[in-house]
Amino acid sequence: MSDSKDKGGLSRRGFLQGSGAVAAATALGTIPTGASAGQQAGGNGQQVPGMGPNGVKLSLNVNGRSMNTTVEPRVTLLDALRNYLDVTGCKRVCDRGSCGACTVLVDGKPVYSCSMLALEARDKPIRTAESLVAGAKLDAVPEAFARFDAQQCGFCTPGFVVAMKAVLEANPKATQAEVERGLCGNICRCGTYEQMRDAIYSLCNQQRRT
Amino acid sequence: MKNFTYFRPTTAEQAVALLENRWGNTELLAGGTDLHDLQKEYVAQPSRVVSVTGIGALAGIRVDEKQATIGAGTKLAAIAEHADLRRHFPSLCEAASDIGGPQIRNMGTLGGNLCQRNRCWYFRDEHTPCLLKGGQRCYALDGENKYHAIFTQGRQCVIVNPSTLAPALIALGAGVNILGPKGRRSTDLAKFFFSPANANDREHTLAANEMVLEVTIPVRNWANASYEVRQKLSYDWPLVQAAVAFQGGRNGAKATGVRIVLGHVAPTPHIAEAAMKALEGRDITDANATAAGRAAAEGAKPLSQNAYKIRLVEVAVKRALLMAAGMKRYWEM
Ligand SMILES: Cc1cc2nc3c(=O)[nH]c(=O)nc-3n(C[C@@H](O)[C@@H](O)[C@H](O)COP(=O)(O)OP(=O)(O)OC[C@H]3O[C@@H](n4cnc5c(N)ncnc54)[C@H](O)[C@@H]3O)c2cc1C
Ligand code: SF4
Ligand code: FES
Ligand code: FES
């Protein structure tokens, strides 16, 4: 696996490092259609710049604020948020896409920030649990969690409230079953699922009555 | 994970041009739900990662009277929620909506689903040098093989193919369009999967410098369904899955063109020929569905810990057939 086996872009690795976003804008063409069959794909590939492996500049839009840092390509969104930007609401528990503690909203949808590269989250609005508190005022979701006693140790809570916020935003009139489905991507070791479901369902009920 | 150089091309041609003709040094990245796991375990150690998420045209669903086309970059959630897909192919949408939890479905893509690596725990452990990692033996054969294959004849590596979309798509007669350095090619999805035996093999037949562009499914008004036996409602892969498709079969009409494909029982999605024959030209009744289930499990050669899957195959096939025919789901009452 020596570098000499690599193709075009890599030999220019050092030169191009960090200039990715700008150079990528020169990209040509669209998805191949039947017409492009047989065409040698080699040509325009050379123009795609590589980023890294050393640190590259990263700008993220977190909870409405633009935040800047420098990360190696291997840094996940979770680690960039926690370790580079000090946004620590998202928690690192399994680091394998299997527990939900790291859940954040990207483009309004819940995702596991441990299983996404920070570089993949450029240009997308990111929301973490921090966005559900303004000063001393809690958003309706964490407020309902508190009211329904929907946590014990609380370590899973930041991931759950973010996932539940997405459920509520997608469907303010969600049924109990729909709320439960929304909970499916998060694990609570203390087992407070029923209280969490009831907390969110109480908010859906409110919507229903109006 | 080992660090790498990151590329984000905006066309599929550019992506393919960045690939190499052997596996290992360069990997495609879509949703990352599988690749990053493997990287964190040092099972995958690419020094170049080519993200396909900048290729806008790779994501999207088109359905017309003749066929549905789903781009490789389409998210699992988009497949699960698509109204036209659900109308024609409930088996596919049900399978998609049962994968992982909401977060996995918002991240994972069709291409990544078909090309994901197997879940054998020996394979996923960096320090176990099994056949697929260049070693001399399969540790599952006489080890912990509860979740491995039961159709093991002639196989050196006894993984199960992990994709739950694959059996549904194969039963529906799907094809796959592929881009390589010499251009496009197409193949039946049934011929896309492969039973790997060494470190140069993958679970599919793509060359290292090819990528999946899209999957096509003929629209033909066939009854279809997928039934999965799972230990938990979320997070797990199924223990056994049966996907079926046939013409007729409802309201007393005979079922023809019967397709029955099993998941999680063999290194590739398993086409249950004997069961298909057993049911061809018959009505879907409880007795015929039961007989087809038995036929589907025939010839299984389970390992030391997984004979239980035989019974699950019988049940999954029976239930999938009854679901597709619109009959009562006795197990939900
Ligand atoms: C908790 C959990 C539960 C899960 N449950 C299920 C389940 O029940 N059923 C199931 O099927 N899966 C399941 N998965 C696996 C899940 O990773 C896949 O379903 C998902 O679709 C992978 O897509 P991705 O885009 O994230 O793939 P990635 O991780 O980005 O890629 C996976 C592989 O595919 C290759 N690849 C990606 N796109 C292409 C392309 N266009 N052409 C060629 N190669 C490509 C990559 O190089 C890589 O090797 C689960 C995963 C987790 C973490
Ligand atoms: S089943 Fe395959 S992947 Fe698992 S130990 Fe055996 S050879 Fe390796
Ligand atoms: S830390 Fe990301 S899912 Fe567990
Ligand atoms: S409250 Fe302890 S893990 Fe959920």
Side-chain angles (χ1 to χ4, degrees):
Chain A
M1 312 254 164
S2 69
D3 281 359
S4 63
K5 292 243 156 77
D6 292 325
K7 289 178 190 165
L10 192 63
S11 58
R12 300 187 293 159
R13 174 197 279 171
F15 170 65
L16 289 162
Q17 177 186 310
S19 64
V22 183
T26 63
L28 327 151
T30 54
I31 189 131
T33 59
S36 71
Q39 177 189 317
Q40 280 291 327
N44 52 11
Q46 317 295 16
Q47 291 166 20
V48 179
M51 302 178 80
N54 298 327
V56 294
K57 289 219 162 77
L58 171 72
S59 171
L60 292 178
N61 172 351
V62 186
N63 300 326
R65 277 178 56 203
S66 169
M67 295 185 152
N68 301 304
T69 184
T70 301
V71 297
E72 291 177 339
R74 64 175 152 181
V75 172
T76 60
L77 175 58
L78 174 65
D79 289 346
L81 288 169
R82 290 183 59 82
N83 303 344
Y84 292 69
L85 300 170
D86 209 26
V87 180
T88 54
C90 38
K91 302 293 180 228
R92 194 188 214 237
V93 175
C94 70
D95 200 33
R96 294 292 185 282
S98 304
C99 78
C102 66
T103 301
V104 301
L105 303 183
V106 172
D107 274 335
K109 301 211 163 120
V111 299
Y112 296 142
S113 60
C114 70
S115 299
M116 178 177 200
L117 297 180
L119 288 176
E120 288 279 314
R122 288 174 296 168
D123 310 319
K124 293 177 176 152
I126 299 158
R127 280 179 74 189
T128 68
E130 280 86 348
S131 74
L132 301 179
V133 205
K137 192 169 162 18
L138 288 179
D139 171 88
V141 171
E143 197 276 324
F145 266 54
R147 198 153 31 90
F148 279 78
D149 202 9
Q151 60 277 312
Q152 258 184 59
C153 76
F155 208 70
C156 67
T157 307
F160 266 105
V161 289
V162 170
M164 287 300 94
K165 184 73 186 167
V167 169
L168 207 59
E169 279 180 354
N171 182 4
K173 294 182 185 170
T175 61
Q176 289 221 12
E178 286 163 347
V179 173
E180 277 174 18
R181 266 188 84 74
L183 290 163
C184 271
N186 295 63
I187 287 178
C188 172
R189 189 65 187 81
C190 302
T192 61
Y193 299 103
E194 283 186 26
Q195 292 93 317
M196 291 195 274
R197 180 200 57 204
D198 294 347
I200 300 311
Y201 186 58
S202 77
L203 301 176
C204 301
N205 272 332
Q206 263 176 23
Q207 296 284 341
R208 238 177 233 153
R209 275 185 240 114
T210 57
Chain B
M1 82 174 94
K2 197 182 92 173
N3 203 9
F4 49 81
T5 306
Y6 170 86
F7 297 86
R8 195 157 184 268
T10 52
T11 69
E13 282 94 346
Q14 289 173 339
V16 163
L18 287 162
L19 299 177
E20 298 178 64
N21 52 22
R22 68 194 171 99
W23 294 108
N25 196 50
T26 302
E27 294 284 354
L28 286 169
L29 165 67
T33 58
D34 185 39
L35 181 64
H36 296 326
D37 261 32
L38 292 163
Q39 287 179 288
K40 288 171 187 175
E41 303 294 347
Y42 291 89
V43 173
Q45 300 189 30
S47 58
R48 295 151 45 94
V49 168
V50 178
S51 167
V52 300
T53 60
I55 308 172
L58 204 60
I61 300 171
R62 277 197 319 274
V63 185
D64 60 33
E65 314 84 76
K66 289 225 176 82
Q67 88 173 12
T69 309
I70 312 175
T74 309
K75 301 286 187 198
L76 302 173
I79 295 173
E81 288 156 14
H82 197 276
D84 285 338
L85 285 183
R86 193 164 275 273
R87 189 157 49 85
H88 294 299
F89 316 116
S91 62
L92 173 65
C93 296
E94 284 298 320
S97 63
D98 281 347
I99 293 175
Q103 292 92 329
I104 293 287
R105 296 192 292 273
N106 286 333
M107 304 173 79
T109 63
L110 171 62
N113 186 276
L114 299 177
C115 299
Q116 62 179 301
R117 302 300 318 260
N118 74 81
R119 305 302 304 184
C120 171
W121 33 42
Y122 299 107
F123 174 71
R124 296 223 161 216
D125 173 33
E126 178 193 358
H127 302 292
T128 309
C130 78
L131 293 177
L132 296 199
K133 300 210 292 285
Q136 296 304 308
R137 55 177 287 223
C138 167
Y139 291 85
L141 277 181
D142 53 5
E144 297 295 329
N145 51 36
K146 196 168 156 188
Y147 301 115
H148 286 73
I150 55 170
F151 290 94
T152 52
Q153 293 89 330
R155 321 280 194 169
Q156 292 170 269
C157 160
V158 290
I159 55 161
V160 294
N161 186 285
S163 169
T164 48
L165 297 188
L169 285 167
I170 292 173
L172 291 167
V176 55
N177 295 334
I178 294 163
L179 185 72
K182 297 211 180 91
R184 269 168 88 117
R185 70 180 175 95
S186 302
T187 179
D188 280 350
L189 194 63
K191 297 197 182 116
F192 178 80
F193 294 98
F194 187 73
S195 189
N198 63 59
N200 300 319
D201 292 340
R202 291 261 157 133
E203 292 80 352
H204 51 69
T205 53
L206 282 185
N209 56 8
E210 291 183 316
M211 69 180 278
V212 175
L213 288 181
E214 60 198 13
V215 166
T216 58
I217 318 170
V219 167
R220 47 190 177 185
N221 202 20
W222 283 24
N224 59 86
S226 163
Y227 185 88
E228 296 174 9
V229 185
R230 284 174 178 264
Q231 255 172 330
K232 304 201 257 11
L233 277 180
S234 57
Y235 282 118
D236 269 347
W237 278 255
L239 298 169
V240 162
Q241 174 188 15
V244 305
F246 48 80
Q247 189 170 23
R250 284 179 176 248
N251 308 324
K254 315 263 179 231
T256 56
V258 179
R259 307 263 297 162
I260 300 177
V261 185
L262 307 179
H264 304 266
V265 297
T268 59
H270 183 79
I271 300 183
E273 306 270 0
M276 284 157 43
K277 261 201 211 116
L279 201 64
E280 186 64 29
R282 294 177 183 262
D283 331 324
I284 308 287
T285 60
D286 198 88
N288 287 345
T290 303
R294 292 231 174 85
E298 258 167 40
K301 262 186 88 179
L303 302 166
S304 57
Q305 300 176 342
N306 65 8
Y308 74 96
K309 283 194 179 188
I310 292 177
R311 184 77 185 115
L312 297 191
V313 165
E314 294 175 355
V315 172
V317 167
K318 174 180 179 184
R319 292 185 182 181
L321 288 168
L322 296 183
M323 279 166 71
M327 292 168 69
K328 244 212 254 136
R329 300 185 184 191
Y330 62 84
W331 59 94
E332 283 178 4
M333 293 189 274

